């Protein structure tokens, strides 16, 4: 893996708040504080390819400049090309997302306007665009949606590409229809800013996360008329009982609880939660967990105690991200990853599935591995669903908080943006992440008719997503370990860095039924 900050003029030196790859990987979009959206082509550089100079009649000064440009280009792990600039917003753009098929692009920001863009079949010239001579394609406005009365922070598409959901600091999340060109539903259960939204790829749930320290899940179905019907809030996660934490160093009969998430004092615009591409897992950022007592007196956690969050009893709470498997999605999180020095702010899943490694036990009973990246305010941690520790950690790349991240369609490039006005790229060599898994779960085909089922006890029953997300073992005595500040080597199994601590089934709830 090669990680490097790409120091080019992304948005005239102003903050970048959102990034996204198109599903085919041909385009990379950035949204910035300069009120614009820019489209780029970012491709992985072939090995041993460099910029060559053929003009032998150049002067010494020109040759020196060409040599400097050659060294700069050769130092970048990707080839970058500017394609287009989209200017219709009147305020900073906070989020940008391609539709599932890549035929549309949505952007939203501080002007409370959502703009739907589409690629024009021919190159057009736009009046007043200073980059018109450099543009290679033109995007036109299809529609502009209005309904929020304050800034919009996040957006997510439905798997069918006919709807999308937005999150705003007006304390609401809204569902929009492309066909009806209007808002068709409003979620108003949160009492503070809604900073993150995600849509279940199996077409059964949407989830929202707010600075009111809660995460809400809503169920919906498709009616006979083809419209979406949303139910009231199915579950709102706010607190967790201390007794649910399964650790040999804690009293299983402990009473009391602590809040799952940071409050509004968290210095971040975003809490970008995300469903896995197969719908099996939901991971939410900005989490807090109770520090586990350990008998190892030398074990420490690299968290600034003066900045640490405290619960009502004065116990220190550490930064994490919570994992919700599909079979317990409306009940409780099954565990968390983290003990980060800084709060996590965004989760992004790699769209490519990989074959499992034979020499490693799997944390979840999935037939494949999925990769995901967690962004904290100053670092990136890359995980997979097979092992408990991160594959690698990347830090020290930016001088301002990280705002968003995105995977390329084949998983070979992970891009992340910062408020310092730059993007960084983590580029993986061929086969470094593993072998691509070709067979997809059959349940992905169904979009609106998937019903959630409990894990069956009959071993001969048909395998479902709920079976696969069942942890194979519940670990009960894993102490927190220091968070690394440099890139980790996955070939060193003796060093355990960031370890999920699984949460046991609450004693007040009955075990899963055998239906």
């Amino acid at each position: 893996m090669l990680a490097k900050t790409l120091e080019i003029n992304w948005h005239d030196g102003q903050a970048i708040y959102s990034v996204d790859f198109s599903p085919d990987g041909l385009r990379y979009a950035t949204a910035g504080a300069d009120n614009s959206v820019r489209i780029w082509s970012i491709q992985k550089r072939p090995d041993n390819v460099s910029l060559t100079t053929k003009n032998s009649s150049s002067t010494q000064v020109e040759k020196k400049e060409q040599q400097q440009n050659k060294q700069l280009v050769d130092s970048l792990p990707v080839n970058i090309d500017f394609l287009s600039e989209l200017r219709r917003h009147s305020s900073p753009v906070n989020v940008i997302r391609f539709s599932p098929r890549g035929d549309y692009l949505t952007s939203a920001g501080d002007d409370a306007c959502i703009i739907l863009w589409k690629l024009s079949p021919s190159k057009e010239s736009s009046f007043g665009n200073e980059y018109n001579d450099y543009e290679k394609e033109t995007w036109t406005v299809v529609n502009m949606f209005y309904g929020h009365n304050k800034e919009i922070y996040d957006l997510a598409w439905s798997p069918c590409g006919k709807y999308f959901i937005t999150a705003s600091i007006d304390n609401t999340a809204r569902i929009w229809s492309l066909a009806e060109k209007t808002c068709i539903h409003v979620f108003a259960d949160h009492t503070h800013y809604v900073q993150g939204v995600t849509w279940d790829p199996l077409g059964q749930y949407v989830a929202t996360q707010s600075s009111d320290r809660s995460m809400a899940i809503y169920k919906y179905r498709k009616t006979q008329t083809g419209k979406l019907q949303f139910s009231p809030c199915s579950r709102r996660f706010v607190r967790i009982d201390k007794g649910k934490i399964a650790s040999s160093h804690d009293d299983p009969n402990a009473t009391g609880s602590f809040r799952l998430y940071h409050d509004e004092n968290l210095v971040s615009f975003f809490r970008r939660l995300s469903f896995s591409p197969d719908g099996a897992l939901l991971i939410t950022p900005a989490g807090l967990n109770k520090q586990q007592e350990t008998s190892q007196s030398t074990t420490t956690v690299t968290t600034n105690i003066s900045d640490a969050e405290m619960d009502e009893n004065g116990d220190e709470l550490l930064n994490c991200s919570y994992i919700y498997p599909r079979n317990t999605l409306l009940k409780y999180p099954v565990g968390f990853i983290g003990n980060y020095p800084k709060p996590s702010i965004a989760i992004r899943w790699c769209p490519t599935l990989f074959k499992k490694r034979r020499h490693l036990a799997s944390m979840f009973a999935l037939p494949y591995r999925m990769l995901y990246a967690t962004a904290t305010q100053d670092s990136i941690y890359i995980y997979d669903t097979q092992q408990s520790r991160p594959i690698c950690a990347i830090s020290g790349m930016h001088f301002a908080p990280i705002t968003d991240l995105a995977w390329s369609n084949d998983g070979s490039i992970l891009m992340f943006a910062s408020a310092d006005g730059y993007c960084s790229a983590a580029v993986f060599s061929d086969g470094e992440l593993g072998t691509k898994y070709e067979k997809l779960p059959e349940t992905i085909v169904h979009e609106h008719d998937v019903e959630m089922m409990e894990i069956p006890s009959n071993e001969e029953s048909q395998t479902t997503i709920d079976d696969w997300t069942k942890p194979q073992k519940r670990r009960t005595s894993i102490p927190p370990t220091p968070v690394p500040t440099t890139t980790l080597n996955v070939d060193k199994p003796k060093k355990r860095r960031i370890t999920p601590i699984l949460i046991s089934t609450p004693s007040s709830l009955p075990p899963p039924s055998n239906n």
Side-chain angles (χ1 to χ4, degrees):
M1 183 196 76
L2 177 61
K4 188 175 181 64
T5 300
L6 310 177
E7 298 181 6
I8 66 173
N9 185 19
W10 291 98
H11 282 268
D12 299 331
Q14 298 193 50
I16 302 173
Y17 292 131
S18 185
V19 295
D20 195 33
F21 272 102
S22 61
D24 57 11
L26 298 179
R27 294 174 180 84
Y28 172 73
T30 58
D34 62 346
N35 308 350
S36 74
V37 173
R38 292 184 179 179
I39 310 296
W40 314 78
S41 171
I42 294 187
Q43 302 297 326
K44 180 181 175 182
R45 294 195 65 198
D47 296 334
N48 302 323
V49 175
S50 62
L51 182 68
T52 58
T53 302
K54 296 182 179 180
N55 188 2
S56 59
S57 62
S58 301
T59 63
Q60 292 295 329
V61 175
E62 291 174 341
K63 288 182 178 180
K64 185 177 180 180
E65 291 179 353
Q66 291 173 356
Q67 183 65 23
Q68 291 176 347
N69 292 335
K70 176 181 178 297
Q71 293 176 353
L72 174 61
V73 172
D74 288 348
S75 66
L76 299 179
V78 292
N79 292 322
I80 308 174
D81 192 14
F82 173 72
L83 298 181
S84 183
E85 184 182 45
L86 288 58
R87 278 193 174 273
R88 286 296 293 271
H89 286 282
S90 58
S91 298
V93 186
N94 297 324
V95 59
I96 186 166
R97 293 290 183 262
F98 283 96
S99 64
R101 294 192 301 174
D103 50 345
Y104 292 112
L105 181 68
T106 47
S107 60
D110 286 358
D111 55 6
C113 173
I114 307 150
I115 301 180
L116 182 68
W117 306 84
K118 188 174 184 178
L119 181 64
S120 176
S122 60
K123 173 70 172 62
E124 302 175 5
S125 298
S126 55
F127 179 77
N129 189 349
E130 59 179 315
Y131 300 106
N132 186 66
D133 294 338
Y134 304 98
E135 291 185 340
K136 298 175 177 62
E137 60 187 30
T138 302
W139 289 73
T140 57
V141 175
V142 177
N143 196 27
M144 302 176 72
F145 298 84
Y146 294 93
H148 289 291
N149 53 40
K150 291 186 179 180
E151 294 94 317
I152 300 171
Y153 276 178
D154 202 15
L155 182 149
W157 281 88
S158 68
C160 63
K162 298 178 181 178
Y163 309 91
F164 58 86
I165 181 174
T166 53
S168 172
I169 66 171
D170 62 6
N171 302 356
T172 69
R174 293 173 182 259
I175 302 291
W176 307 82
S177 170
L178 267 61
E180 301 180 37
K181 299 181 180 181
T182 187
C183 173
I184 61 174
H185 191 83
V186 179
F187 302 108
D189 297 290
H190 290 292
T191 59
H192 211 269
Y193 301 165
V194 183
Q195 296 179 302
V197 288
T198 185
W199 204 303
D200 174 20
L202 299 187
Q204 190 179 2
Y205 301 102
V206 293
T208 62
Q209 191 165 352
S210 168
S211 55
D212 64 4
R213 312 189 77 169
S214 73
M215 187 272 289
I217 296 177
Y218 301 88
K219 193 172 182 179
Y220 73 96
R221 66 182 183 90
K222 195 173 185 179
T223 64
Q224 294 180 351
T225 59
K227 296 185 177 181
L228 300 188
Q229 182 178 356
F230 291 86
S231 64
C233 182
S234 301
R235 180 65 192 271
R236 191 160 173 253
F237 294 91
V238 179
R239 307 182 71 92
I240 189 168
D241 294 335
K242 293 181 180 179
K244 293 180 182 178
I245 299 179
S247 173
S248 60
H249 305 289
D250 289 333
D251 181 6
N253 298 320
T255 59
S257 62
F258 60 89
R259 292 186 178 271
L260 286 167
Y261 301 104
H262 276 275
D263 60 16
E264 67 275 8
N265 294 320
L266 174 62
V267 185
S268 175
F269 295 128
F270 314 113
R271 305 185 187 212
R272 288 172 163 155
L273 68 169
S274 181
F275 273 102
S276 62
D278 65 349
L281 299 169
L282 169 65
I283 300 183
T284 61
L288 292 169
N289 69 84
K290 180 178 178 293
Q291 184 176 6
Q292 303 298 302
E293 300 294 335
T294 176
S295 59
Q296 300 177 2
S297 59
T298 59
T299 300
T300 59
V301 178
T302 56
T303 302
N304 189 342
I305 297 178
S306 62
D307 296 334
E309 187 83 12
M310 300 289 180
D311 66 1
E312 292 84 346
N313 299 323
D315 295 332
E316 182 180 349
L317 300 176
L318 304 179
N319 299 305
C320 72
S321 299
Y322 279 101
I323 304 174
Y324 295 81
R326 191 176 190 85
N327 60 325
T328 62
L329 188 61
L330 300 180
K331 296 179 181 179
Y332 48 82
V334 75
F336 62 83
I337 51 172
N339 295 342
Y340 306 120
K342 297 287 187 178
S344 57
I345 55 95
I347 309 292
R348 205 70 183 266
W349 291 85
C350 176
T352 301
L353 307 181
F354 296 90
K355 291 182 179 180
K356 296 171 68 173
R357 296 189 179 99
R358 296 181 180 179
H359 63 281
L360 288 177
S362 182
M363 294 296 296
F364 293 94
L366 292 161
Y368 42 75
R369 287 189 305 122
M370 293 184 291
L371 270 66
Y372 60 95
T374 300
T376 68
Q377 291 176 334
D378 61 356
S379 303
I380 299 290
Y381 300 91
I382 301 176
Y383 296 86
D384 69 12
T385 55
Q386 189 169 0
Q387 62 189 50
S388 59
R389 57 196 178 90
I391 296 175
C392 68
I394 308 169
S395 63
M397 302 287 286
H398 293 278
F399 295 103
I402 296 172
T403 54
D404 200 7
L405 67 169
W407 290 88
S408 62
N409 62 328
D410 60 355
S412 62
I413 303 174
L414 173 64
M415 298 289 297
F416 50 99
S418 169
D420 63 8
Y422 292 104
C423 292
S424 293
V427 181
F428 299 89
S429 59
D430 294 340
E432 184 176 359
L433 296 176
T435 305
K436 184 177 179 180
Y437 183 86
E438 299 294 342
K439 183 179 179 181
L440 297 179
E442 295 181 358
T443 44
I444 290 183
V445 178
H446 307 290
E447 185 167 315
H448 295 292
D449 299 329
V450 177
E451 294 297 332
M452 190 170 70
M453 297 174 288
E454 297 291 348
I455 300 176
S457 58
N458 185 2
E459 296 181 356
E460 297 180 356
S461 61
Q462 184 179 2
T463 303
T464 65
I465 284 290
D466 294 330
D467 295 313
W468 294 342
T469 55
K470 180 180 180 181
Q472 291 186 337
K473 292 184 180 180
R474 289 189 178 273
R475 302 190 178 185
T476 58
S477 59
I478 304 178
T481 52
V483 176
T485 58
T486 57
T487 302
L488 302 181
N489 190 339
V490 64
D491 296 329
K492 295 181 180 179
K494 294 182 180 180
K495 293 185 179 180
R496 291 187 175 272
R497 301 288 182 150
I498 306 173
T499 308
I501 300 179
L502 301 182
I503 301 176
S504 64
T505 304
S507 57
S508 60
L509 292 175
S513 64
N514 296 328
N515 295 334

